[in-house]
Amino acid sequence: RTKKKYSNFELNVDWRWTKVLANSGVLVYIQQKDTVWPVCYQVQQKANAAGDIICMNGLWAKECKDSVKFTVPKMVASNEKPLGEWNSMKIICKNKTMKVWVNGVLQNSITGLTAWKGYIGFQNEGKPMEFRNLSIK
């Protein structure tokens, strides 16, 4: 995760799976304390689910309606590229809202976030992947 906390930011990152499609995510507004599954919002990079947002471990948004998994599904069909090709993700967080674009398509938008300042991190569930062009403004 980052060393400093962020609020009202734009994050851009490219990623690709190198051997097999698998599961990863961008963790937004990570709260103290550091744990394996922190209190945060997870923007999925999981194959065929990139753009879904999971409200994890007590965080909430108005669009969270599933009281079991706390997942806000992406708005349109998956537009991820095939294995080995680069995908891009843009996340804009501003004033208790979050919007997520995957490969230039708006995939999700949530409002009324219960946390709007925190660390940013990445998770991977053990399969080879690469990142490039990471920027935070």
Side-chain angles (χ1 to χ4, degrees), residues 27-31 38-42 54-57 59:
L27 306 180
V28 176
Y29 294 144
I30 300 169
Q31 304 297 296
V39 175
C40 68
Y41 297 97
Q42 181 184 164
I54 304 171
C55 300
M56 293 178 54
N57 297 321
L59 292 190

Side-chain angles (χ1 to χ4, degrees), residues 13-84:
V13 62
D14 295 341
W15 86 97
R16 70 176 174 182
W17 298 104
T18 58
K19 301 214 183 270
V20 63
L21 297 174
N23 192 354
S24 179
V26 179
L27 306 180
V28 176
Y29 294 144
I30 300 169
Q31 304 297 296
Q32 297 286 26
K33 83 184 189 184
D34 286 335
T35 61
V36 172
W37 294 111
V39 175
C40 68
Y41 297 97
Q42 181 184 164
V43 180
Q44 283 281 14
Q45 291 175 311
K46 179 180 179 181
N48 298 313
D52 287 357
I53 299 173
I54 304 171
C55 300
M56 293 178 54
N57 297 321
L59 292 190
W60 202 250
K62 288 182 182 177
E63 292 75 13
C64 290
K65 294 184 175 35
D66 180 342
S67 63
V68 177
K69 291 178 70 179
F70 308 104
T71 299
V72 179
K74 60 188 166 305
M75 299 185 308
V76 298
S78 291
N79 64 326
E80 300 155 51
K81 296 182 181 176
L83 178 68

Side-chain angles (χ1 to χ4, degrees), residues 43 51 53 89-91 98-102 105-108:
V43 180
I53 299 173
M89 179 175 280
K90 175 167 63 173
I91 301 170
M98 181 187 309
K99 293 185 179 190
V100 177
W101 288 261
V102 176
V105 174
L106 180 63
Q107 283 287 11
N108 218 326

